[in-house]
C-alpha cells in the first residue's frame, strides 16, 4: 500500500501540474442570450448569417494551439445515429456508393438518387465556419487573420485507409456521378474543399465528424494553429475576435455551440481529473497502509499468544 | 422404455390363423390367461403346441437388434437440437437469439448466436461422437455370429436376426446373445457356469440349472424335437428376478409343467464358463433383454451448489428484467420532449414513426433485454460443465486413493456432485464391508454350549494342533460327539458355496491351509469363512455333483448327501436352509441364520447356553450365526416338496408365496450351535471416522447386524469413545416403557446437556464429557416412522430428530435395506436440509446410496452392485477421508469461486453498458464493439477461471488432511450464501462504476492525445473494456493461491491474447464486416499516455477494496483456513524448503503491505 501510495502521489502531482499549465479558453456562441451577437442568427430567415464575438487572451498560448468546436446535448452516440452510415461507401466501394446500406435510412436516397455520403451522421455534419482574427493593438484596427490549418485534424489511418474516394479517372465530380448530396448539406461532397487531397470523403472535417463522440457533450478538433517559431508565442495575449458563419442549428434540441482554443501537453488537453484521482488514490493507499500497520502490529502480539496457546 | 404390443396385432393373428392349425376355440377362450396381461408365451423353436393344449398365438417381438444409440443419421440434427434446447439455459439463449433476429436490436445476432452456436455445436459433436461409438458397438454386437438350431441343423446367423423362440447354442467363453432359458448343456447334470462380470461386476461363477425335463437333449436333433411352450412375465429390469413356467409336450404323456426361475435364465451379457456348450431358447431379445432394460439412467442428483447457482441465476434474471424495465421507462420519459425523440439530425424512418407506441415500447424492452443478456453468460454453463467433467478426472487419477490390493482406483460415475463432497454433514455408513474388511475369519463355534476354537491360542493355552480343535469346556459326552459331527455336517452342507478347481483361479481366494487345492466361491464371505473353518476342523466340502454334495469327513471318507432343496438366503428371513438326504436315506433340514431368526423357531437344544455365548461373541464384535436342524420323515418331506412346488410354479407373487412356504418349513428346529466369524476393521477406519467427526460431520452407522456386534464395531472404530454416554432406543426398552416415554426421557437428557453445551464447545475437539451416542434398532425405528391414525407420528419424528441432532454418533442396527433409505430420507428432509452421504458396499445399501445426496460405493467383496449404483466408488473406507476433506473441499471452493466469479465478471461487463444508456439517450447503444461482446466470455476471460476452478488449492493437501476442522469453514454452503453473493455483486457494481466513470471523467470534454485529435465512442468503450479485462483477470490472480506454470500461462496468456486480438482486430480493414468502427481504435488509444495512466489507475482502484477487505478480514476475523494459510506461510521460510503448496502471490502481497 505504501508503495502504491508512494508511486501514485508523485504521478498525480505531476499530472496535475501539467494539466494546470495548459491554457484553455472556451467561447459559447450559441446565441440564445439576447445580448449575444449571434442571437440574430437564431431565426432561420437570415442566411447566410455571420456574427462576430470578441474575446481577450490574458496570457499568451505557447506551442501548438488547437481549435475545437464543441456541441452540447447532441446525441452523437444515439444508436440510430451511430449506425446510420455506410463504411464501405466511405471506403470508396463503387457499388456501395450507388446502393448505400439500409442502415442509412431515412438518409439513404433522396429523390431516387443515392445519397453520398449517406446516413444521419454525414447528413448532420457540422457546417459553421470559424475564423480567428487578432486585433493587434488599439491603434491598428485592421485585424490580422490567424492562419488555421485544416489538415492533420483527423486520424492518419482514417484519412489514408479507412476513408477513400470512389475510384476512377476524372474529376471528383465525375466519380461521384449518380449520387446526390445529403439533404441538409449546402454543397455536394466533392465540393467540400478546393484541394484535391482534402476533398470528397477524405475531407478531414468530414472524417472528424464521422468519428462519433462518446458522450452527448463533446468537442471536435476544428483547426490547428501551428507555432511560428520559438520566440513568439503562437497566440500572444491580446484582443481577438471570432468570425462565425452561423449555419448549424442547435437550439431546436437545447444544444450549445462552443469554440475552444487550447494548448496540449504530452497528456492531452486540460483535465484535472487524472491528477486528482491519482493523488486521492495514492493518499488513500497510504492511509490504509498506516492503519493496517497499526492493526497488524496489535494483532500480531495477540495472535502470537493465541498461536502459542493453540499449540 | 419402448412399449411393446402385448396383444398380437389383429390383422397378423388373423392372417396367421389360417396357416396354423385351427385351434379349438374353447381352449383359447378358457385359457384363463387374460388376467396375465404381463406375461408372454413363447413357442420353443416356433412350433405350435399340439392341438388341444393351447392356442397358438404368434406374437410379435422385437428382433435381437440392440439399439443403445440415441440417434440415427437422419434424425440426429433435429433430435439433438431438441434435446439441447430442452435445457432451460440453451432455450433462453435461443430466445435471445431469435429476438435479435426478429427485431432491430443493438447487437447483431452474431454476438449471441455465435456463442450459442459454438456451445450447441460442441455439445452436438460430443454427443454425436459418443453416439457414433455406440452405433459401432451396436453393429458389432448385432452382427456377431450366433449359432441357431434350424430344422435340426446348426446355422450361423447374425445376432440381430435372432427371434424370440429360437433355439440357440452358445459355446464356452461366449456371451449370451439374448436372454435365454437354459434347456440343456453338455454336462450330464444340466448345469452351467456363468460369470456376470459385465452385468453387475461380480466375477464369481454362478451356477445355472437347465430345465429338468430338457436337460437330456444333447444334440441338435434332440433339441429340435423339443416341443414346449414357455410362459413368462414381460421383460423386467430386475436382473435377479424371473418367473415363468415351461410346458413340455411329449407324444407319450401329458404335458409337464415346470417352474422357471432366475436359475434357469441366462442373461444377455453374461459369459459362459467351464461348460463346453449349452442350448437355450430365446425369450427376451434386443431391447427387451434385462441388460438393455438396465441401461436406463438413474435419476439425476443435483448438488446444492447447482441449486444456489440456479437461485442466483433467477436473481440475475430479475436484475436483468428490472434493468430493461427501468431503461425502457426512462427512455419514454426522456423522449417525451419531441426534440429529444427525433431531433433534426437524427430522424426516424417512416415505418418507425408509424409503429404503435406499445409495440415500440415492447420492442425497446426486448432490445434492452438483448443488450443486457450477457449478464447471464452462456459460457458459464459450459465452463461449469467442463470443470465438473475434467475435475472428476482428478479424483480418478488420485494415486493416494488407488488400492494396491485390488488394483483398483476410485470410480466417478457422475461428475455433477464433485462439490457436494465438500458439503457433507451426515454420513450414513454401512458396517459390514465398509467399516470392516468383510474378510471373514472363522473364530469359533459353540456346539451345545461347548466352545471350539480352531488352532488358535485361547485363554493362554496352546492347543493341540493335530485335530485343530479345542474344547474349552469340559469334554463332551458321546451324545455331544454326535451332535458335534452333525453340526459340522450342517455347516458343510448348508450353504451355496461353489468349489472351483485350481486351474480357474480368477479372483476368488484359495483356502489357505489345506492340502486340497480347493477354492470356494460364494456371494457371501461368511459362508466361505464357515466352510473354510469347518475344513480346518476336519470336514472338507468337496463339491456338488449331480445333486450330491460330497464331504470328506475326519476319517478321510467321502460322504455323499443328496441335495433336495435349497431354501435360499434373503435379507428378510435372514436365514437359509437346505434339505438333504444322507446316504442312509435320512432326510435332514439344516438351517443357518441370524440368532434372532433362528431362536424363535427352535424347540429343542441348549438354547440358553448358546444364546449367552452368542451374545458374548456379539459384544466382541463377531458375527454370529446359529445352526439348527430338523429331521424330516419322508411324509413330511413330501409335504414340503408340495408346498415348495406350488409356490415355485406360481407366476404371480411367487416371492411372497415362496416366503410363506419357507416360513412353514423352517420351524420346530433343533438348535445345534452357533458360529462366530470375525470381521476385521478396515485399515485406518477409526482414523477416518475420527477425522470426519472433527470435520463436523456426523457419522451414523446403519447396519443389519445385531446391536452388540455393531456397538462393538463402533467402539473399535472410535465412533463411540469411552466417554460417550450411550442412549438406547431399542425394542427392549420400548417394551418396558411406552415409546412416548422413552423418547421424552431421552430428549430431556440430551437437551439438558445441549443447553449447557454451547456451540463453540461443540465445535471444539469434542473431547468434552457430554458426548452422546444413540443406538436405535430397526423395530423401534419403524415404530417411530409408522404413521399413527391421530397423526401424532410427526411429533415422534421431530422428537427423534431432535435427539439425533444432539448426538455425536448414532448407530442404527437391525436395519432392513429399505429402512436405511428411510433414515436417510428422514434426515435429508429434516428442517435444515443437511447434505447427506451414504456409503456402503453391498446390495442392501443400494437403496440408501440412491437416496442420499451423495452415494458412495465401496468396491468390496459383496459384488459391485453398490459401486454400480453409486455416484462415486472408492476401494476402501479410508479413502473417504481424502475424498471429502481434500477433494470435496477443493471442489467446493473451486466451484463456488467459479460461480461467484462468473457473476462478478458479468456484472462488471454489463453494468457499464447499463450506465452508458443514461448518456446515449437510452437508445440501446452498445458500449463495446461486437467482437468484444462476443468474445469476452468465450475467450478473454474464460480460460483463467476454468483453470482456477481445476487447479486451485487454497491450502495444501497435507494441511487439509492433517486438520479436518478446516472442513467446517465451508460447511452449510458457506461460500455461496447470500452475504457472499451480495458482496461479489457489489464488488462487480463498484468495479463497473469505477470503469465507467473513470473513463467518463477522462474523456469528458477534453482531448487526451498529444496531437489534439479526438476520440470517439468506440475508443471510450475500448478503454472501459480494456480496464475491465485486466481488472477481472487480475482479480482472479489475486484469488489464486496455487500457482503452477499453467496458471501463469493462462492468466498472462489470456491478457496477451486480448491485446494481440485487439491489435489485429483494429489493424486491418476486415472485408467481411459492414462496419469498420474498430479500425485503429485500440492502437490510437495505446498511443496516448493518459490512457495508460488511466488504465493503471482504474485497475488499482477497482482492485483496492477487494484487497483491503481481504487483508482486514484476514487480520481481524481470520477463519481457520486463513489461519492455517498464514501458519504455512510462516513455516515455509523457516523450513527453507519451498513446499509445493506455498501460495505464491499471497506471499508477495503481504510483504508489500507490511512495508
Amino acid at each position: 500500500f505504501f508503495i502504491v501510495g508512494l508511486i501514485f502521489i508523485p504521478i498525480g502531482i505531476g499530472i496535475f501540474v501539467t494539466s494546470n499549465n495548459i491554457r484553455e479558453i472556451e467561447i459559447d456562441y450559441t446565441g440564445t442570450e439576447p445580448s449575444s451577437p449571434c442571437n440574430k442568427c437564431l431565426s432561420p430567415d437570415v442566411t447566410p448569417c455571420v456574427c462576430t464575438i470578441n474575446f481577450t487572451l490574458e496570457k499568451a498560448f505557447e506551442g501548438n494551439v488547437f481549435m475545437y468546436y464543441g456541441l452540447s446535448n447532441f446525441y452523437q452516440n444515439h444508436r440510430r445515429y451511430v449506425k446510420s452510415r455506410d463504411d464501405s461507401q466511405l471506403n470508396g466501394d463503387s457499388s456501395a456508393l450507388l446502393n448505400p446500406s439500409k442502415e442509412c435510412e431515412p438518409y439513404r436516397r433522396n429523390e431516387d438518387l443515392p445519397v453520398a455520403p449517406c446516413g444521419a451522421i454525414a447528413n448532420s455534419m457540422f457546417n459553421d465556419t470559424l475564423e480567428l482574427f487578432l486585433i493587434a493593438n488599439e491603434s491598428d484596427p485592421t485585424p490580422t487573420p490567424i492562419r488555421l490549418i485544416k489538415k492533420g485534424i483527423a486520424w492518419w489511418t482514417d484519412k489514408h485507409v479507412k476513408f477513400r474516394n470512389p475510384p476512377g479517372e476524372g474529376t471528383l465530380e465525375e466519380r461521384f456521378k449518380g449520387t446526390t448530396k445529403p439533404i441538409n448539406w449546402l454543397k455536394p461532397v466533392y465540393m467540400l474543399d478546393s484541394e484535391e487531397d482534402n476533398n470528397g470523403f477524405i475531407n478531414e472535417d468530414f472524417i472528424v465528424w464521422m468519428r462519433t463522440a462518446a458522450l452527448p457533450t463533446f468537442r471536435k478538433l476544428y483547426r490547428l494553429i501551428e507555432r511560428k517559431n520559438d520566440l513568439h508565442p503562437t497566440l500572444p495575449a491580446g484582443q481577438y475576435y471570432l468570425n462565425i458563419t452561423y449555419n448549424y442549428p442547435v437550439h431546436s434540441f437545447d444544444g450549445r455551440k462552443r469554440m475552444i482554443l487550447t494548448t496540449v501537453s504530452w497528456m492531452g488537453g486540460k483535465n484535472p481529473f487524472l491528477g486528482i484521482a491519482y493523488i486521492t488514490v495514492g493518499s488513500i493507499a497510504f492511509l490504509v497502509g498506516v492503519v493496517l500497520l497499526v492493526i497488524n502490529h496489535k494483532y500480531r502480539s495477540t495472535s502470537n499468544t493465541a498461536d502459542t496457546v493453540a499449540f | 422404455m419402448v412399449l411393446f404390443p402385448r396383444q398380437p396385432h389383429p390383422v397378423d393373428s388373423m392372417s396367421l390363423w389360417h396357416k396354423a392349425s385351427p385351434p379349438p376355440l374353447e381352449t383359447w377362450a378358457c385359457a384363463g390367461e387374460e388376467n396375465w396381461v404381463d406375461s408372454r408365451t413363447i413357442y420353443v423353436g416356433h412350433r405350435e403346441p399340439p392341438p388341444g393344449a393351447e392356442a397358438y398365438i404368434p406374437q410379435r417381438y422385437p428382433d435381437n437388434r440392440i439399439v443403445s444409440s440415441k440417434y440415427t443419421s437422419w434424425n440426429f440434427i433435429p433430435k439433438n437440437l431438441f434435446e439441447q434446447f430442452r435445457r432451460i439455459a440453451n432455450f433462453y439463449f435461443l430466445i435471445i437469439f431469435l429476438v435479435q433476429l426478429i427485431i432491430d436490436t443493438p447487437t447483431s445476432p452474431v454476438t449471441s448466436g455465435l456463442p450459442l452456436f459454438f456451445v450447441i455445436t460442441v455439445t452436438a459433436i460430443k454427443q454425436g461422437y459418443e453416439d457414433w461409438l455406440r452405433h459401432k458397438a451396436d453393429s458389432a454386437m448385432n452382427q456377431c455370429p450366433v449359432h441357431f438350431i434350424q430344422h435340426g441343423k446348426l446355422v450361423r446367423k447374425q445376432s440381430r436376426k435372432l427371434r424370440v423362440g429360437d433355439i440357440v447354442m452358445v459355446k464356452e467363453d461366449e456371451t449370451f446373445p439374448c436372454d435365454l432359458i437354459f434347456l440343456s448343456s453338455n454336462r450330464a447334470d444340466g448345469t452351467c457356469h456363468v460369470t456376470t462380470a459385465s452385468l453387475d461386476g461380480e466375477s464369481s461363477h454362478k451356477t445355472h440349472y437347465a430345465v429338468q425335463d430338457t436337460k437330456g437333449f444333447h444334440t441338435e436333433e434332440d433339441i429340435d424335437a423339443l416341443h414346449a411352450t414357455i410362459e413368462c412375465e414381460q421383460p423386467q429390469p430386475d436382473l435377479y428376478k424371473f418367473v415363468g413356467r415351461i410346458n413340455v409336450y411329449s407324444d407319450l404323456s401329458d404335458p409337464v409343467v415346470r417352474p422357471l426361475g432366475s436359475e434357469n435364465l441366462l442373461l444377455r451379457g453374461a459369459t459362459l464358463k467351464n461348460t463346453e456348450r449349452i442350448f437355450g431358447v430365446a425369450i427376451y431379445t434386443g431391447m427387451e433383454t434385462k441388460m438393455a432394460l438396465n441401461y436406463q439412467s438413474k435419476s439425476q442428483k443435483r448438488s446444492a451448489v447447482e441449486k444456489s447457482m440456479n437461485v442466483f441465476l433467477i436473481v440475475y434474471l430479475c436484475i436483468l428484467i428490472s434493468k430493461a424495465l427501468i431503461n425502457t421507462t426512462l427512455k419514454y420519459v426522456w423522449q417525451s420532449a419531441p426534440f429529444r425523440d427525433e431531433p433534426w439530425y437524427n430522424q426516424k424512418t417512416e415505418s418507425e414513426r408509424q409503429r404503435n407506441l406499445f409495440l415500440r415500447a415492447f420492442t425497446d424492452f426486448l432490445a434492452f433485454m438483448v443488450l443486457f443478456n450477457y449478464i447471464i453468460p452462456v459460457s458459464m454453463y459450459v465452463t461449469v460443465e467442463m470443470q465438473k467433467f475434467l475435475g472428476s478426472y482428478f479424483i480418478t487419477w488420485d494415486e493416494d486413493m488407488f488400492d494396491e490390493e485390488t488394483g483398483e482406483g476410485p470410480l466417478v460415475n457422475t461428475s455433477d456432485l464433485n462439490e457436494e463432497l465438500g458439503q457433507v454433514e451426515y454420513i450414513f455408513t454401512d458396517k459390514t464391508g465398509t467399516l470392516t474388511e468383510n474378510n471373514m475369519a472363522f473364530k469359533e463355534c459353540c456346539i451345545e454350549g461347548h466352545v471350539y476354537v480352531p488352532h488358535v491360542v485361547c485363554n493362554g493355552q496352546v492347543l493341540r494342533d493335530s485335530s485343530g480343535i479345542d474344547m474349552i469346556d469340559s469334554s463332551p459326552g458321546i451324545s455331544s460327539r454326535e451332535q458335534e459331527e452333525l453340526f459340522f455336517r450342517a455347516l458343510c452342507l448348508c450353504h451355496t458355496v461353489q468349489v472351483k478347481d485350481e486351474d480357474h483361479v480368477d479372483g476368488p481366494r484359495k483356502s489357505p491351509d489345506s492340502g486340497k487345492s480347493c477354492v470356494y466361491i460364494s456371494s457371501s464371505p461368511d459362508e466361505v469363512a464357515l466352510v473354510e473353518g469347518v475344513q480346518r476342523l476336519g470336514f472338507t466340502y468337496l463339491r456338488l455333483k449331480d445333486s450330491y454334495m460330497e464331504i470328506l469327513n475326519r476319517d478321510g471318507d467321502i460322504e455323499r448327501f443328496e441335495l433336495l432343496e435349497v431354501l435360499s438366503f434373503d435379507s428378510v428371513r435372514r436365514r437359509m436352509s437346505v434339505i438333504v438326504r444322507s446316504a442312509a436315506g435320512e432326510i435332514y433340514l439344516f438351517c443357518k441364520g441370524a440368532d434372532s431368526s433362528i431362536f424363535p423357531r427352535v424347540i429343542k437344544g441348549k438354547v440358553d447356553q448358546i444364546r449367552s455365548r452368542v451374545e458374548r461373541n456379539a459384544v466382541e464384535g463377531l458375527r454370529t450365526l446359529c445352526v439348527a436342524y430338523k429331521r424330516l420323515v419322508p411324509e413330511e418331506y413330501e409335504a414340503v416338496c408340495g408346498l415348495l412346488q406350488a409356490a415355485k410354479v406360481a407366476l404371480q407373487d411367487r416371492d411372497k408365496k415362496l416366503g410363506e412356504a419357507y416360513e412353514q418349513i423352517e420351524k420346530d428346529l433343533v438348535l445345534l450351535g452357533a458360529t462366530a466369524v470375525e470381521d476385521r476393521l478396515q485399515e485406518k477406519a477409526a482414523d477416518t471416522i475420527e477425522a470426519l467427526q472433527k470435520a463436523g460431520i456426523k457419522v451414523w452407522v446403519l447396519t443389519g447386524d445385531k446391536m452388540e456386534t455393531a456397538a462393538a464395531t463402533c467402539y473399535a472404530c472410535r465412533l463411540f469413545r469411552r466417554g460417550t454416554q450411550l442412549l438406547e432406543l431399542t425394542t427392549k426398552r420400548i417394551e418396558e416403557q411406552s415409546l412416548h416415554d422413552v423418547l421424552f426421557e431421552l430428549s430431556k437428557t440430551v437437551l439438558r446437556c445441549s443447553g449447557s453445551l454451547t456451540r463453540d464447545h461443540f465445535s471444539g475437539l469434542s473431547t468434552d464429557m457430554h458426548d452422546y451416542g444413540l443406538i436405535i434398532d430397526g423395530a423401534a425405528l419403524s415404530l417411530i416412522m409408522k404413521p399413527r391414525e391421530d397423526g401424532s407420528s410427526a411429533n415422534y419424528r421431530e422428537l427423534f430428530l431432535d435427539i439425533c441432532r444432539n448426538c455425536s454418533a448414532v448407530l442404527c442396527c437391525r436395519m432392513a435395506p429399505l429402512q436405511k433409505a428411510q433414515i436417510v430420507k428422514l434426515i435429508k428432509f429434516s428442517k435444515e436440509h443437511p447434505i447427506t452421504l451414504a456409503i456402503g458396499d453391498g446390495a442392501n445399501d443400494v437403496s440408501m446410496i440412491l437416496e442420499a445426496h451423495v452415494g458412495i460405493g465401496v468396491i468390496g467383496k459383496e459384488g459391485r452392485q453398490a459401486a454400480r449404483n453409486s455416484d462415486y466408488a472408492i476401494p476402501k473406507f479410508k479413502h473417504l477421508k481424502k475424498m471429502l476433506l481434500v477433494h470435496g473441499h477443493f471442489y467446493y471452493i473451486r466451484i463456488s469461486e467459479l460461480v461467484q466469479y462468473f457473476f462478478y465478471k458479468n456484472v462488471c461487463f454489463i453494468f457499464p453498458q447499463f450506465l452508458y444508456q443514461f448518456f446515449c439517450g437510452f437508445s440501446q447503444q452498445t458500449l463495446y464493439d461486437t467482437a468484444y461482446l462476443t468474445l469476452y466470455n468465450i475467450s478473454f476471460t474464460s480460460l483463467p477461471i476454468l483453470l482456477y476452478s481445476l487447479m486451485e488449492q487454497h491450502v495444501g493437501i497435507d494441511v487439509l488432511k492433517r486438520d479436518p476442522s478446516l472442513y467446517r469453514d465451508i460447511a452449510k454452503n458457506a461460500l455461496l450464501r447470500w452475504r457472499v453473493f451480495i458482496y461479489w455483486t457489489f464488488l462487480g457494481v463498484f468495479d463497473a462504476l469505477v470503469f465507467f466513470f473513470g473513463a467518463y471523467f477522462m474523456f469528458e470534454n477534453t482531448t487526451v492525445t498529444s496531437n489534439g485529435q479526438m476520440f470517439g465512442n468506440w475508443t471510450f468503450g475500448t478503454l472501459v473494456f480494456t480496464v475491465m479485462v485486466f481488472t477481472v483477470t487480475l482479480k482472479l490472480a489475486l484469488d489464486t493461491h496455487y500457482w503452477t506454470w499453467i496458471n501463469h500461462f493462462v492468466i498472462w496468456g489470456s491478457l496477451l491474447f486480448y491485446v494481440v486480438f485487439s491489435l489485429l482486430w483494429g489493424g486491418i480493414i476486415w472485408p467481411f464486416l459492414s462496419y469498420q468502427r474498430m479500425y485503429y481504435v485500440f492502437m490510437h488509444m495505446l498511443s496516448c499516455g493518459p490512457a495508460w495512466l488511466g488504465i493503471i489507475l482504474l485497475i488499482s482502484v477497482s482492485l483496492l477494496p477487494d484487497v483491503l477487505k481481504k487483508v482486514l478480514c484476514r487480520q481481524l476475523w481470520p477463519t481457520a483456513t486463513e489461519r492455517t494459510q498464514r501458519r504455512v506461510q510462516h513455516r515455509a521460510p523457516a523450513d527453507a524448503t519451498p513446499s509445493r503448496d506455498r501460495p505464491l502471490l499471497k506471499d508477495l502481497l503481504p510483504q508489500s503491505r507490511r512495508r
Side-chain angles (χ1 to χ4, degrees), chain B residues 680-729:
Chain B
R680 257 166 284 152
L681 274 187
Q682 284 208 356
E683 49 174 334
K684 288 186 183 165
D687 181 44
T688 308
I689 294 248
E690 205 169 17
L692 292 175
Q693 283 195 326
K694 265 192 212 162
I697 303 172
K698 293 190 177 171
V699 181
W700 291 33
V701 175
L702 311 183
T703 178
D705 250 339
K706 69 180 134 326
M707 194 180 112
E708 293 80 12
T709 320
T713 314
C714 287
Y715 274 114
C717 62
R718 271 180 267 167
L719 186 65
F720 295 155
R721 276 180 216 82
R722 213 162 300 142
T724 309
Q725 189 180 340
L726 288 187
L727 309 169
E728 285 182 23
L729 186 61

Side-chain angles (χ1 to χ4, degrees), chain B residues 565-581:
Chain B
E565 295 285 348
V566 176
L567 282 57
S568 54
F569 180 85
D570 67 56
S571 52
V572 181
R573 270 164 59 232
R574 300 171 58 81
R575 62 179 178 271
M576 70 162 291
S577 307
V578 289
I579 301 175
V580 294
R581 192 192 330 237

Side-chain angles (χ1 to χ4, degrees), chain B residues 65-274:
Chain B
R65 195 193 306 264
I66 279 277
V67 187
S68 59
S69 54
K70 266 192 197 156
Y71 311 107
T72 58
S73 49
W74 56 268
N75 78 358
F76 175 71
I77 290 176
K79 198 172 171 189
N80 183 263
L81 283 184
F82 177 73
E83 289 283 323
Q84 291 207 38
F85 286 120
R86 279 210 322 211
R87 292 187 58 182
I88 200 87
N90 283 350
F91 189 69
Y92 164 79
F93 294 111
L94 180 71
I95 293 285
I96 292 283
F97 178 63
L98 290 180
V99 166
Q100 277 178 318
L101 278 183
I102 293 164
I103 64 163
D104 169 47
T105 53
T107 53
S108 82
V110 176
T111 53
S112 65
L114 196 68
L116 183 67
F117 181 73
F118 175 76
V119 168
I120 298 273
T121 319
V122 167
T123 321
I125 288 174
K126 183 179 146 243
Q127 289 180 351
Y129 176 69
E130 283 171 355
D131 209 55
W132 180 70
L133 288 183
R134 265 181 249 137
H135 265 291
K136 245 176 58 174
D138 285 355
S139 71
M141 268 283 218
N142 289 336
Q143 282 173 4
C144 74
V146 172
H147 298 278
F148 286 70
I149 310 292
Q150 258 183 359
H151 309 300
K153 272 179 237 114
L154 208 57
V155 186
R156 269 168 73 106
K157 270 208 242 172
Q158 287 183 338
S159 159
R160 65 187 158 98
K161 299 204 175 122
L162 195 67
R163 303 236 155 226
V164 169
D166 282 343
I167 298 177
V168 180
M169 190 190 85
V170 181
K171 291 185 186 153
E172 185 167 1
D173 290 332
E174 282 182 345
T175 54
F176 300 112
C178 62
D179 292 354
L180 302 170
I181 286 292
F182 183 19
L183 292 177
S184 70
S185 79
N186 68 318
R187 292 184 171 201
D189 58 357
T191 58
C192 73
H193 293 273
V194 159
T195 73
T196 50
S198 57
L199 279 175
D200 56 9
E202 289 178 43
S203 59
S204 65
H205 291 200
K206 297 192 179 72
T207 311
H208 286 248
Y209 302 91
V211 179
Q212 281 288 324
D213 306 86
T214 60
K215 69 181 180 188
F217 299 106
H218 290 304
T219 61
E220 290 86 13
E221 292 79 31
D222 286 349
I223 218 75
D224 199 45
L226 174 65
H227 209 135
T229 57
I230 293 168
E231 287 162 67
C232 59
E233 55 188 354
Q234 288 291 346
Q236 275 182 21
D238 192 327
L239 291 180
Y240 308 104
K241 276 208 184 103
F242 175 74
V243 284
R245 68 178 175 216
I246 183 165
N247 302 313
V248 181
Y249 306 102
S250 67
D251 302 333
L252 309 172
S253 54
D254 287 340
V256 188
V257 182
R258 287 278 166 183
L260 296 176
S262 56
E263 72 277 1
N264 304 116
L265 184 68
L266 303 171
L267 297 177
R268 177 175 193 149
T271 313
L272 185 64
K273 292 279 180 191
N274 282 1

Side-chain angles (χ1 to χ4, degrees), chain A residues 2 66 68 75 77 79-80 83 87 107 154-155 161-162 212 214 216 219 249 252 267 269 271 278 288 299, chain B residues 104 339 345-347 916 919 923-924 1002 1005 1007 1011-1013 1016-1017 1076 1079 1084 1090 1093 1108 1115 1155:
Chain A
F2 289 120
F66 296 81
Y68 295 88
Y75 283 83
N77 57 8
R79 184 162 72 90
R80 209 180 326 125
K83 66 176 188 179
D87 277 337
Y107 305 98
W155 293 11
V161 186
K162 195 172 163 185
T212 49
R219 54 171 80 169
S252 68
M267 51 151 293
N271 189 0
Y278 262 99
V288 168
Y299 175 78
Chain B
D104 169 47
F339 67 82
Y345 56 84
N346 187 13
Q347 279 171 350
Y916 192 55
F919 296 92
S923 60
Q924 302 121 23
M1002 257 180 70
N1005 215 8
T1007 178
N1011 62 3
Q1013 290 168 357
N1017 59 332
Q1076 306 296 342
Y1079 187 63
H1084 274 281
L1093 286 174
L1108 195 67
Q1115 298 277 16
R1155 224 174 292 171

Side-chain angles (χ1 to χ4, degrees), chain A residues 1-3 8 11 15 26 66 68 73-75 77-83 86-88 91 105-107 120 124 152-158 161-162 184 211-221 248-249 252-254 258 264-271 273-274 277-278 281 284 288 292-293 295-296 299-300 307 311, chain B residues 104-106 334 339 341-349 352 916 919-921 923-925 997-998 1000-1020 1069 1074-1077 1079-1081 1084 1089-1090 1093-1094 1096-1097 1100-1101 1104 1107-1108 1111-1112 1114-1116 1118 1123 1126-1127 1152-1155:
Chain A
F1 279 101
F2 289 120
I3 289 183
F8 273 27
I11 293 181
I15 295 171
E26 196 172 307
F66 296 81
Y68 295 88
N73 225 351
F74 190 100
Y75 283 83
N77 57 8
H78 196 281
R79 184 162 72 90
R80 209 180 326 125
Y81 188 81
V82 169
K83 66 176 188 179
D86 185 347
D87 277 337
S88 341
N91 197 26
E105 289 288 1
Y107 305 98
S124 59
I153 55 173
W155 293 11
W156 188 91
T157 49
D158 280 2
V161 186
K162 195 172 163 185
N184 291 28
R211 184 154 290 282
T212 49
L215 299 166
T217 300
F218 60 90
R219 54 171 80 169
K220 283 185 184 291
L221 190 53
Y248 206 72
S252 68
F253 53 88
D254 268 351
R258 292 156 297 149
V264 297
S265 65
W266 59 272
M267 51 151 293
K270 193 179 183 99
N271 189 0
F273 163 73
L274 214 48
Y278 262 99
V281 173
I284 290 174
V288 168
L292 282 184
L293 198 69
I295 290 174
N296 193 20
Y299 175 78
R300 172 82 35 103
D307 276 6
F311 291 89
Chain B
D104 169 47
T105 53
W334 185 80
F339 67 82
D341 185 24
E342 203 177 356
W344 64 264
Y345 56 84
N346 187 13
Q347 279 171 350
K348 296 177 185 172
T349 55
E352 274 173 332
Y916 192 55
F919 296 92
C920 71
S923 60
Q924 302 121 23
Q925 174 57 35
F997 284 105
Y1000 175 82
F1001 284 118
M1002 257 180 70
F1003 270 68
E1004 194 201 21
N1005 215 8
T1006 181
T1007 178
V1008 287
T1009 52
S1010 52
N1011 62 3
Q1013 290 168 357
M1014 291 303 296
F1015 286 152
N1017 59 332
W1018 298 118
T1019 316
F1020 181 75
I1069 297 265
S1074 58
Y1075 56 86
Q1076 306 296 342
R1077 47 171 91 132
Y1079 187 63
Y1080 261 72
V1081 159
H1084 274 281
L1093 286 174
I1096 292 166
L1097 173 86
S1100 347
V1101 172
L1104 201 68
V1107 173
L1108 195 67
V1111 175
L1112 280 177
R1114 219 157 238 280
Q1115 298 277 16
L1116 299 178
R1123 247 180 253 142
R1126 190 198 306 271
R1127 219 174 296 135
S1152 61
R1153 268 178 230 133
R1154 257 172 242 139
R1155 224 174 292 171

Side-chain angles (χ1 to χ4, degrees), chain B residues 435-611:
Chain B
L435 288 176
T436 58
E437 288 256 18
N438 207 10
N439 192 352
M440 306 293 171
F442 183 74
K443 278 295 266 203
E444 61 164 54
C445 56
C446 165
I447 306 167
E448 298 265 299
H450 307 299
V451 178
Y452 298 73
V453 183
H455 54 97
V456 181
V457 180
C458 190
N459 293 355
Q461 284 173 278
V462 180
L463 307 158
R464 287 174 294 130
D465 227 14
S466 53
S467 73
I469 190 164
D470 171 56
M471 295 141 208
I472 291 171
D473 301 329
S474 57
S475 66
I478 316 288
S479 67
S480 62
R481 176 81 184 171
E482 229 166 67
Q483 290 285 346
E484 184 192 312
E485 297 209 335
L486 194 59
F487 176 79
F488 292 145
R489 281 193 188 107
L491 284 183
C492 270
L493 296 171
C494 183
H495 56 73
T496 54
V497 170
Q498 292 165 40
V499 183
K500 260 308 62 105
D501 303 334
E502 181 68 337
D503 52 327
H504 283 287
V505 186
D506 44 35
R509 294 166 299 133
K510 279 171 63 180
S511 59
D513 51 356
S514 74
K516 296 261 184 297
S517 55
C518 290
V519 178
Y520 296 118
I521 313 164
S522 169
S523 50
S524 150
D526 295 64
E527 289 195 330
V528 176
L530 284 176
V531 175
E532 279 175 8
V534 177
Q535 188 176 31
R536 271 178 275 153
L537 292 173
F539 281 81
T540 311
Y541 170 64
L542 288 177
R543 57 186 165 156
L544 174 74
K545 199 181 163 196
D546 304 338
S547 298
Y548 281 95
M549 295 173 110
E550 297 181 357
I551 295 173
L552 189 69
N553 68 10
R554 264 189 233 172
D555 308 327
D557 298 334
I558 292 180
E559 297 175 18
R560 282 163 60 95
F561 291 86
E562 187 184 359
L563 181 62
L564 298 171
E565 295 285 348
V566 176
L567 282 57
S568 54
F569 180 85
D570 67 56
S571 52
V572 181
R573 270 164 59 232
R574 300 171 58 81
R575 62 179 178 271
M576 70 162 291
S577 307
V578 289
I579 301 175
V580 294
R581 192 192 330 237
S582 72
E586 286 168 315
I587 301 172
Y588 291 99
L589 178 140
F590 292 114
C591 183
K592 178 180 80 178
D595 52 353
S596 62
S597 63
I598 296 284
F599 283 136
R601 301 175 178 277
V602 165
I603 47 163
K604 230 170 93 186
K606 299 187 172 165
V607 178
D608 293 333
Q609 281 158 309
I610 292 174
R611 190 196 294 269

